[in-house]
Amino acid sequence: MKVQEQIRQGAYISEGFIKEYQQLISNTVLPYQYEVLNDKAENTEKSHVVQNFINAGKAVKGEDTGDGFYGMVFQDSDAAKWIEAAAYSLRNFPDPVLEKQADDLIDIIAAAQDSDGYLNTYFTIKDKDKRWTNLLEAHELYCSGHMMEAACAYCEATGKRKLLDVMLKNTEHIYKVFIEEKHGGFPGHPEVELALMKMYRLTGNEKCLSLAEYFINSRGCDTDFYKRELKARSWSVWGNDAENNEYQQSNVPLRKAENATGHSVRAVYLYTAMADLAAQTSDSELYDACKRLWDSITKRQMYITGGIGSTVHGEAFSTDYDLPPDTAYAETCASIGLMFFASRMLENELKGEYADVMEQAFYNTVLAGMQLDGKRFFYVNPLEVIPGISGKIQTHKHDLTQRPGWYACACCPPNVARLVSSFGKYAYGENADTAYCHLFAAGTVSFDNGIKLTCETKYPYAFTVKYTVQGNGSIAVRIPAWSRNYTLTVNGLSYTEPAVSGYVFIPVSGDSEIILTLDDTPRFMYASPMIPRLTGFACVCRGPLVYCFEGKDNDGDVLSLTLDTQGGITAVHDNELLGGTVRLEVQAVRTAVTDGLYTSQKPSQTSCTANAIPYYMWGNRGENQMRVWLPML
Amino acid sequence: MKVQEQIRQGAYISEGFIKEYQQLISNTVLPYQYEVLNDKAENTEKSHVVQNFINAGKAVKGEDTGDGFYGMVFQDSDAAKWIEAAAYSLRNFPDPVLEKQADDLIDIIAAAQDSDGYLNTYFTIKDKDKRWTNLLEAHELYCSGHMMEAACAYCEATGKRKLLDVMLKNTEHIYKVFIEEKHGGFPGHPEVELALMKMYRLTGNEKCLSLAEYFINSRGCDTDFYKRELKARSWSVWGNDAENNEYQQSNVPLRKAENATGHSVRAVYLYTAMADLAAQTSDSELYDACKRLWDSITKRQMYITGGIGSTVHGEAFSTDYDLPPDTAYAETCASIGLMFFASRMLENELKGEYADVMEQAFYNTVLAGMQLDGKRFFYVNPLEVIPGISGKIQTHKHDLTQRPGWYACACCPPNVARLVSSFGKYAYGENADTAYCHLFAAGTVSFDNGIKLTCETKYPYAFTVKYTVQGNGSIAVRIPAWSRNYTLTVNGLSYTEPAVSGYVFIPVSGDSEIILTLDDTPRFMYASPMIPRLTGFACVCRGPLVYCFEGKDNDGDVLSLTLDTQGGITAVHDNELLGGTVRLEVQAVRTAVTDGLYTSQKPSQTSCTANAIPYYMWGNRGENQMRVWLPML
């Protein structure tokens, strides 16, 4: 049984920091992405996403497919993620133009579905006979999964069932292939599993649950599947290694899994579904596996920014404690997936660390993924950038110094859009008698259990959170682990019940006012000496925000800065800087740059103030040095 | 005009540290390599080197080539390097068995030469028509170059001219192709240039000089050469990028070159020849280019161990200040080539820094390339090894935790053998009236200028160097830059003439005794803050030796060690450790390993003694952690 669930989309109406981001998605990101999908954006690589669906629609009618298919094998998912984000956005900011665009696109998608329920433009246009012959690489189930998520979101947002019906029909088809006809196998890129769980929750359709169970329970049991599949097919997308089951998260039955391995986005999408299924079916064995995987990620393989998947080689987890700041991969999508996983872990068990990580990923890597103006995006999120090395030499080619525009492989931008637009689902949860406040998000929430709540806060820059509550039951407020102390008042009186697993439970009846004040003191953070790349280094944080040092604020040179961890850190509210932020002034020393590479004379050091900005804001002022971790005295 | 030249091979008879290494080469390395070349070594990949020559001999006689060619396209060079090392070794330790082996091998090689002077088993066996059609990849000139070096060394050592005559005939052939027939182009892997200079010095043959000049002066002038060559041929060895002129050191005419780029071994072989030609022909423009390239390497791209070529991608220089300790490539051969380059720079200008770098490369990376027992070899020389990461994950696969045995691509072991066996050539130089002491090498030297010298020292572990000199002229003794102070006595009297460009000149007549005492104080070394990977780190050195910290001497964990650079370093002579060495005890702190990855509580630190051993000795006691650079307080 689930401890608690996400709130409905639309139950949360944002204010403040989150509202500004949601407006950015609504006003800038979604319109731009719509142009891209329709090949109308300038200076952008052709997307062809909508045209693929139009051409597939011709194919299912037996007509000429025009200019055919173009793009990645998973190109369809860009449309799905856009619809999903648009759906969330429509609940935040009703917009008839956007809704019309989505309706029209859904009509086009529906017309591209084959009579048997199959829906995928790549195979429908290119070669119907190759359907389901390359689960390893071809992303059919991945694309279906994203379209299922879009369908659920759009139905929840608008009440319109057209896409949901399309995807239920698609589910029937998948059920027929995998359950009735016993095709065998599991998707190379997990995603359909978590989508099927969403479909099940929304529709109650048991086939959705059965399919999710099938994909999760069969994975890793038949370790020769991809090898046999490779042998049986005459074609390949990328020539993926069919024998690298560890990379595919299929080396052991998932319930036996000990370590998070392989492609990091795929991993967390899969683990999300596992956690979801475990909560839904009260499967403690499966939840235990999820806990081991959670620990493998968050206790041994995660950057302080909530970034995961440290290596560019396969966009993957590498090994425990291998967390290089400068060659980090740390894909934006992987941190979004980690938030999904955390959110589903909370459904199994209320533990503050799940929400802590969700917050850590969101305010650092996820937000860093998008330029402050919403126009450019990072796929890769390094914790150190040195112009001349980063983005340039072979080992650092993937770590760009500036956010590029739209990608041919455009997974991250729409993923940020759908996450930000549905932020309330991660921030708040509920069950029959309790309202759960996981993240501190200003705005109003109407819980299905009858509790209504208004949250006022300037989080993540100020740490007083005021909840005005109407209704009876209890409010569970998370106390973040980073807050070394806090005060809590209920209706003006100090409330001293201790937190249990990171949450304080406050009984409420009628009108209540809860004021939580968290620790606003900036802090140094230290890494475990098990992480080779971080020995001798420290970084600075305030609240949930990890900070970084950019050249722009530090005379162009952050490499010669060393932090004085005996010294102070001062938080400075600066309305001019980057559109308004809190800068940290940190006591430091600057090492003189001398001739030559090495010297026996200790280079002179002079005291100075190092200036740090929130990590998520880096790279918004042109190319310059950036470091999260600095050496410490 | 050359300032000074290397001494003749055999003029130096070693004692002490160098003698022990030369004996190791003679007693262990050369016999083992001979077995390998003849496919008689056990547990070793087939070499087929000698058999290739035998089979090529059949080919030139029009006979069936038996089992044909096997191995790398440059397989012949293994035989050449072995003969060269054997020649040097025969001067150190006369050995009729070894000389007979070399004579027999030379007979086999001579028989493989075609009537027109061409000599290369790959093309002679496989396809005569493809000769000279792939200068980019096929290593014909490289193999000729190594055989020329062998020929010179063997003639100098034994007076036998057979191989020299073979290579003079081969030179005639190359001259005909490149000068008379104007074939065009230059070798993908430079080597023949420096070899031709050796041939010229030994024989006075002007065609050797002309060819060296041609290859050096034409390189980088015709930047389309490799592109045209690729277009004209229908075959490839590795599919090298014909357009990457920077990697090929052919993007600009060499006299205009500013930066050392591309494959590091190729680069330093080429720069060696440039410096040699500049000295031989008093070409100051060419020497100026050499100085720029020298600075590019030693002031911006060199590890403190004298390792160069920091990236595995193309075994190449990456960019200025990119010197990662853990993913270092730093090929043994590249540091050997750097010694060649330094030695030739000294022929242009007497500057202590050239000899300093020569010494740095030798006592650290070159010696580290060989296991203490002479049986296993490092190709790649990282400055940090962490089992679980090093040698295991994709980014660190090349950085092995243990020396492997013989390689299929066996360039480094015979390169170490020839360098160590001819150490005297690098240690001592001369001109008409002066004996130059570049490196401190115990033993006796008979200079051609009539000066005789005996050097007594326990270098590199003790720093008193006593020269007993007979003859008239002057002795130029290098004062290493690392020695913060020194005393010098001549015939018992303090000698206070200051060093000029790192050398003190001492007039001698009759019998003289010179005693130099260098600084034996261990020292911390600091890196420039321009090197991102070394900010906040320090290492320890004593004399020319860079030290490292291995787990074996530090409770299995060097990651949690931080050096206290305010504290002391104690040198401890330890006869038990690694067959006898000087260990350094360094004041340090050990950071407690706490749960989790990050903490706001500064982990507790306790004082301790960190134990360092010479870097060249690392990896001789099984797999364990190793770090040269440690964080500093």
Side-chain angles (χ1 to χ4, degrees):
Chain A
M1 286 300 291
K2 297 189 179 188
V3 172
Q4 55 89 43
E5 296 195 41
Q6 291 184 340
I7 58 168
R8 280 168 301 110
Q9 175 59 22
Y12 166 69
I13 304 300
S14 61
E15 282 298 333
F17 186 86
I18 298 300
K19 184 174 186 176
E20 283 179 30
Y21 263 100
Q22 291 186 337
Q23 281 175 326
L24 192 64
I25 300 299
S26 174
N27 297 338
T28 302
V29 180
L30 288 175
Y32 176 68
Q33 291 183 358
Y34 185 76
E35 297 288 293
V36 171
L37 297 180
N38 287 280
D39 299 323
K40 287 174 182 160
E42 280 173 20
N43 305 320
T44 301
E45 197 165 335
K46 184 170 78 163
S47 154
H48 212 254
V49 166
V50 174
Q51 195 61 46
N52 284 339
F53 280 104
I54 292 170
N55 294 350
K58 293 175 185 164
V60 299
K61 283 192 277 182
E63 297 171 6
D64 179 86
T65 58
D67 58 356
F69 180 90
Y70 175 88
M72 298 280 185
V73 69
F74 50 79
Q75 206 78 350
D76 290 2
S77 62
D78 286 353
K81 281 192 267 188
W82 182 85
I83 293 170
E84 187 186 349
Y88 299 142
S89 200
L90 286 170
R91 288 306 295 256
N92 299 330
F93 313 106
D95 177 347
V97 174
L98 179 62
E99 190 164 338
K100 174 74 165 58
Q101 288 171 341
D103 285 341
D104 291 349
L105 179 53
I106 287 168
D107 288 343
I108 291 169
I109 291 168
Q113 182 169 40
D114 218 332
S115 54
D116 61 357
Y118 186 84
L119 176 64
N120 184 294
T121 71
Y122 180 88
F123 290 92
T124 300
I125 292 170
K126 289 194 138 184
D127 192 346
K128 207 173 147 170
D129 292 340
K130 287 187 177 153
R131 285 176 178 187
W132 309 122
T133 60
N134 188 349
L135 298 188
L136 178 61
E137 299 177 318
H139 285 66
E140 284 159 293
L141 290 163
Y142 171 86
C143 289
S144 281
H146 272 301
M147 203 59 83
M148 289 175 194
E149 289 197 87
C152 292
Y154 203 69
C155 178
E156 284 183 300
T158 64
K160 296 176 183 171
R161 287 189 54 102
K162 183 164 187 175
L163 189 57
L164 186 63
D165 289 336
V166 165
M167 294 319 295
L168 280 169
K169 188 173 170 187
N170 183 247
T171 303
E172 293 284 343
H173 173 79
I174 296 170
Y175 188 86
K176 183 161 166 281
V177 172
F178 286 89
I179 307 296
E180 293 173 3
E181 297 172 359
K182 299 188 194 306
H183 176 281
F186 31 82
H189 195 317
E191 149 66 24
V192 75
E193 302 86 344
L194 74 85
L196 286 162
M197 291 304 297
K198 283 189 177 181
M199 292 277 285
Y200 173 65
R201 261 200 306 281
L202 184 66
T203 67
N205 183 312
E206 291 289 339
K207 287 184 178 171
C208 296
L209 183 63
S210 300
L211 269 170
E213 284 177 321
Y214 165 73
F215 287 127
I216 288 169
N217 289 328
S218 66
R219 195 173 195 97
C221 296
D222 175 3
T223 52
D224 282 338
F225 174 77
Y226 288 130
K227 223 165 92 179
R228 289 200 311 277
E229 184 189 72
L230 174 66
K231 220 169 163 183
R233 65 177 145 92
S234 54
W235 65 289
S236 169
V237 182
W238 298 288
N240 281 16
D241 180 0
E243 300 195 31
N244 193 346
N245 279 304
E246 193 172 283
Y247 181 75
Q248 255 84 249
Q249 295 99 25
S250 56
N251 52 327
V252 288
L254 293 178
R255 303 170 176 270
K256 306 285 178 205
E258 297 285 341
N259 296 303
T261 63
H263 190 280
S264 60
V265 176
R266 299 179 191 191
V268 283
Y269 281 16
L270 178 63
Y271 306 155
T272 298
M274 286 166 66
D276 205 344
L277 181 63
Q280 188 70 45
T281 60
S282 304
D283 184 336
S284 64
E285 187 193 36
L286 193 58
Y287 178 57
D288 285 344
C290 291
K291 283 195 285 187
R292 292 192 301 270
L293 294 166
W294 175 265
D295 286 351
S296 169
I297 295 173
T298 64
K299 295 187 171 49
R300 301 194 297 275
Q301 302 195 77
M302 185 177 73
Y303 287 100
I304 197 165
T305 51
I308 58 170
S310 68
T311 182
V312 64
H313 298 283
E315 309 180 315
F317 292 106
S318 62
T319 195
D320 289 354
Y321 308 110
D322 177 46
L323 295 162
D326 57 338
T327 58
Y329 199 72
E331 187 178 335
T332 309
C333 286
S335 290
I336 291 171
L338 180 59
M339 291 182 67
F340 298 163
F341 185 24
S343 166
R344 296 308 186 286
M345 289 302 273
L346 280 170
E347 296 194 344
N348 283 277
E349 189 177 4
L350 194 73
K351 278 175 77 175
E353 69 169 274
Y354 298 144
D356 286 348
V357 167
M358 193 158 71
E359 182 180 67
Q360 191 175 6
F362 178 74
Y363 283 107
N364 300 295
T365 298
V366 176
L367 289 188
M370 184 162 64
Q371 199 159 278
L372 290 175
D373 64 6
K375 291 183 175 167
R376 301 171 79 86
F377 296 85
F378 275 134
Y379 204 91
V380 170
N381 296 282
L383 281 76
E384 172 171 313
V385 154
I386 307 298
I389 292 177
S390 304
K392 199 179 156 205
I393 65 171
Q394 191 66 37
T395 46
H396 293 63
K397 272 250 163 71
H398 55 290
D399 287 300
L400 305 179
T401 60
Q402 295 282 279
R403 289 171 187 80
W406 194 262
Y407 297 81
C409 173
C411 58
C412 295
N415 232 348
V416 173
R418 69 186 181 129
L419 190 283
V420 168
S421 303
S422 61
F423 189 76
K425 283 176 169 274
Y426 304 90
Y428 295 100
E430 65 176 310
N431 62 17
D433 56 5
T434 305
Y436 294 85
C437 303
H438 303 304
L439 307 178
F440 306 103
T444 57
V445 198
S446 306
F447 295 93
D448 280 347
N449 61 18
I451 296 173
K452 280 190 168 35
L453 167 157
T454 300
C455 173
E456 292 166 77
T457 183
K458 290 186 175 158
Y459 207 84
Y461 287 114
F463 302 97
T464 299
V465 186
K466 178 176 159 189
Y467 295 106
T468 309
V469 183
Q470 292 177 295
N472 306 323
S474 74
I475 308 292
V477 176
R478 167 176 153 258
I479 308 300
W482 57 256
S483 191
R484 283 169 289 193
N485 51 63
Y486 67 97
T487 59
L488 193 59
T489 65
V490 178
N491 297 324
L493 299 173
S494 176
Y495 187 81
T496 55
E497 279 296 311
V500 177
S501 295
Y503 286 80
V504 176
F505 283 77
I506 303 155
V508 288
S509 64
D511 291 352
S512 312
E513 186 187 81
I514 299 168
I515 298 176
L516 172 67
T517 306
L518 296 167
D519 184 2
D520 67 354
T521 320
R523 61 193 186 278
F524 289 105
M525 292 294 290
Y526 307 91
S528 164
M530 302 283 280
I531 308 175
R533 288 296 308 276
L534 297 182
T535 59
F537 282 73
C539 72
V540 289
C541 294
R542 181 169 178 265
L545 297 179
V546 174
Y547 275 68
C548 70
F549 300 86
E550 272 202 308
K552 285 274 186 252
D553 308 305
N554 293 285
D555 299 327
D557 174 14
V558 301
L559 286 176
S560 65
L561 290 175
T562 297
L563 297 178
D564 177 2
T565 56
Q566 305 302 314
I569 311 176
T570 309
V572 180
H573 290 260
D574 187 334
N575 291 327
E576 302 304 309
L577 185 63
L578 291 157
T581 188
V582 172
R583 181 165 50 79
L584 296 184
E585 295 181 352
V586 192
Q587 264 182 254
V589 296
R590 192 177 281 285
T591 301
V593 175
T594 48
D595 278 353
L597 292 170
Y598 311 105
T599 170
S600 61
Q601 196 69 40
K602 193 166 188 173
S604 69
Q605 298 188 316
T606 46
S607 292
C608 69
T609 299
N611 291 295
I613 61 162
Y615 172 76
Y616 79 85
M617 290 180 146
W618 85 271
N620 277 282
R621 294 171 295 174
E623 182 173 274
N624 71 154
Q625 294 183 359
M626 184 279 286
R627 276 190 142 176
V628 169
W629 294 94
L630 289 185
M632 58 175 164
L633 285 181
Chain B
M1 286 299 291
K2 297 190 178 186
V3 171
Q4 56 88 44
E5 295 193 43
Q6 290 184 341
I7 58 167
R8 281 169 298 110
Q9 174 59 22
Y12 165 69
I13 304 300
S14 61
E15 283 298 332
F17 186 86
I18 298 301
K19 185 173 187 178
E20 282 179 29
Y21 263 101
Q22 291 187 337
Q23 281 176 327
L24 192 63
I25 300 300
S26 174
N27 297 338
T28 301
V29 180
L30 288 175
Y32 176 68
Q33 291 183 358
Y34 186 76
E35 297 289 295
V36 171
L37 297 180
N38 286 281
D39 299 322
K40 287 175 184 162
E42 280 172 22
N43 304 320
T44 301
E45 198 166 334
K46 184 169 79 161
S47 154
H48 212 255
V49 167
V50 173
Q51 194 61 47
N52 283 341
F53 280 104
I54 292 170
N55 294 350
K58 293 176 186 162
V60 299
K61 284 193 275 184
E63 296 171 5
D64 180 87
T65 59
D67 59 354
F69 180 90
Y70 175 88
M72 298 279 184
V73 69
F74 49 79
Q75 206 78 349
D76 291 1
S77 62
D78 286 354
K81 280 192 266 187
W82 181 85
I83 293 170
E84 187 186 348
Y88 299 142
S89 200
L90 285 172
R91 289 307 294 256
N92 298 330
F93 312 106
D95 177 346
V97 174
L98 179 62
E99 190 164 338
K100 174 75 164 59
Q101 287 172 340
D103 285 340
D104 291 349
L105 179 53
I106 287 169
D107 288 343
I108 291 169
I109 292 168
Q113 183 169 41
D114 218 330
S115 54
D116 61 358
Y118 186 85
L119 176 65
N120 185 294
T121 71
Y122 180 88
F123 289 92
T124 299
I125 292 170
K126 290 194 136 183
D127 192 347
K128 205 172 147 170
D129 292 342
K130 284 185 178 156
R131 285 177 179 187
W132 309 121
T133 60
N134 189 349
L135 297 188
L136 179 61
E137 300 178 317
H139 285 64
E140 284 159 292
L141 290 164
Y142 172 85
C143 289
S144 282
H146 272 301
M147 203 58 85
M148 289 176 194
E149 288 197 87
C152 293
Y154 202 71
C155 178
E156 285 185 300
T158 63
K160 295 177 185 170
R161 286 188 57 99
K162 182 164 187 174
L163 189 57
L164 186 64
D165 289 335
V166 166
M167 294 320 295
L168 279 168
K169 188 174 170 185
N170 183 247
T171 302
E172 292 284 345
H173 174 79
I174 296 169
Y175 187 87
K176 181 161 168 283
V177 171
F178 285 90
I179 306 296
E180 293 172 4
E181 296 172 359
K182 298 189 195 306
H183 175 281
F186 31 83
H189 195 317
E191 151 65 26
V192 76
E193 302 86 344
L194 73 86
L196 286 163
M197 291 305 298
K198 283 190 177 180
M199 292 278 284
Y200 173 65
R201 261 202 305 281
L202 183 66
T203 66
N205 184 312
E206 291 288 337
K207 287 184 178 171
C208 296
L209 183 63
S210 300
L211 269 171
E213 283 177 321
Y214 165 73
F215 286 127
I216 288 169
N217 289 329
S218 66
R219 195 174 194 94
C221 295
D222 175 4
T223 52
D224 282 338
F225 174 77
Y226 289 130
K227 222 164 91 181
R228 288 200 311 276
E229 184 189 72
L230 173 66
K231 222 170 161 181
R233 64 178 146 90
S234 55
W235 65 289
S236 169
V237 181
W238 298 287
N240 281 15
D241 180 358
E243 301 195 30
N244 193 346
N245 279 304
E246 193 172 285
Y247 181 75
Q248 256 82 250
Q249 295 99 24
S250 56
N251 52 326
V252 289
L254 293 177
R255 310 173 168 266
K256 305 286 178 205
E258 296 285 341
N259 296 302
T261 62
H263 190 280
S264 60
V265 176
R266 300 180 190 192
V268 283
Y269 280 16
L270 178 62
Y271 306 155
T272 298
M274 286 167 66
D276 206 344
L277 181 62
Q280 188 69 45
T281 60
S282 304
D283 185 337
S284 64
E285 187 192 36
L286 193 57
Y287 177 57
D288 285 344
C290 291
K291 284 195 285 188
R292 292 192 301 272
L293 294 165
W294 174 266
D295 286 352
S296 169
I297 294 173
T298 64
K299 295 186 171 49
R300 301 193 298 275
Q301 302 195 79
M302 186 177 73
Y303 288 100
I304 196 164
T305 51
I308 58 171
S310 69
T311 183
V312 64
H313 298 283
E315 309 180 315
F317 292 106
S318 62
T319 195
D320 290 353
Y321 308 109
D322 177 46
L323 294 162
D326 56 339
T327 58
Y329 199 72
E331 187 178 333
T332 309
C333 287
S335 289
I336 291 171
L338 181 59
M339 290 182 67
F340 298 163
F341 184 25
S343 165
R344 297 307 186 287
M345 290 302 274
L346 280 170
E347 297 194 343
N348 284 277
E349 190 178 2
L350 194 74
K351 278 174 78 174
E353 70 170 273
Y354 298 144
D356 286 348
V357 167
M358 194 158 69
E359 182 179 68
Q360 192 174 5
F362 179 74
Y363 283 107
N364 300 293
T365 298
V366 176
L367 289 189
M370 184 162 65
Q371 199 160 274
L372 290 176
D373 64 5
K375 291 183 176 168
R376 301 172 79 86
F377 297 84
F378 274 134
Y379 204 91
V380 170
N381 296 282
L383 282 77
E384 172 171 313
V385 154
I386 307 299
I389 292 178
S390 304
K392 198 177 156 206
I393 65 171
Q394 190 66 37
T395 46
H396 293 63
K397 273 248 163 74
H398 55 289
D399 287 300
L400 305 180
T401 60
Q402 295 282 280
R403 289 171 188 79
W406 194 262
Y407 296 81
C409 173
C411 59
C412 294
N415 233 349
V416 173
R418 69 187 182 127
L419 189 283
V420 169
S421 302
S422 61
F423 189 76
K425 284 177 168 277
Y426 303 90
Y428 295 99
E430 65 176 311
N431 62 18
D433 57 5
T434 306
Y436 294 86
C437 303
H438 303 304
L439 307 178
F440 306 104
T444 58
V445 197
S446 305
F447 295 93
D448 281 346
N449 62 20
I451 296 173
K452 281 188 167 36
L453 169 155
T454 300
C455 173
E456 292 166 75
T457 183
K458 289 186 175 157
Y459 208 83
Y461 286 115
F463 301 98
T464 299
V465 185
K466 179 175 157 189
Y467 295 106
T468 309
V469 183
Q470 291 177 296
N472 306 322
S474 73
I475 307 294
V477 177
R478 168 175 152 259
I479 309 300
W482 57 256
S483 190
R484 281 168 292 192
N485 51 62
Y486 68 96
T487 60
L488 193 58
T489 65
V490 177
N491 297 326
L493 300 173
S494 175
Y495 188 81
T496 56
E497 279 296 311
V500 177
S501 294
Y503 285 80
V504 177
F505 283 78
I506 304 156
V508 287
S509 64
D511 290 353
S512 312
E513 187 186 80
I514 300 167
I515 298 175
L516 172 68
T517 306
L518 297 166
D519 183 3
D520 66 355
T521 321
R523 60 194 186 278
F524 289 106
M525 292 293 292
Y526 307 92
S528 164
M530 302 283 280
I531 307 175
R533 288 296 307 278
L534 297 182
T535 60
F537 282 73
C539 73
V540 289
C541 295
R542 182 169 178 263
L545 298 178
V546 174
Y547 275 68
C548 71
F549 300 85
E550 271 202 308
K552 285 275 185 251
D553 309 304
N554 293 284
D555 299 326
D557 174 13
V558 300
L559 286 176
S560 65
L561 289 175
T562 297
L563 297 179
D564 178 1
T565 57
Q566 305 302 313
I569 312 176
T570 309
V572 180
H573 290 260
D574 187 333
N575 290 328
E576 301 304 309
L577 184 63
L578 290 155
T581 189
V582 172
R583 181 164 51 79
L584 296 184
E585 295 181 352
V586 192
Q587 264 182 254
V589 296
R590 193 178 280 286
T591 301
V593 176
T594 49
D595 278 352
L597 292 170
Y598 312 105
T599 170
S600 62
Q601 196 69 40
K602 192 166 188 172
S604 70
Q605 296 187 317
T606 47
S607 292
C608 69
T609 298
N611 291 295
I613 60 162
Y615 171 76
Y616 80 85
M617 291 180 146
W618 86 272
N620 276 282
R621 294 171 295 174
E623 183 173 277
N624 70 153
Q625 293 183 0
M626 184 277 287
R627 272 191 146 176
V628 169
W629 295 92
L630 289 186
M632 60 175 162
L633 286 180

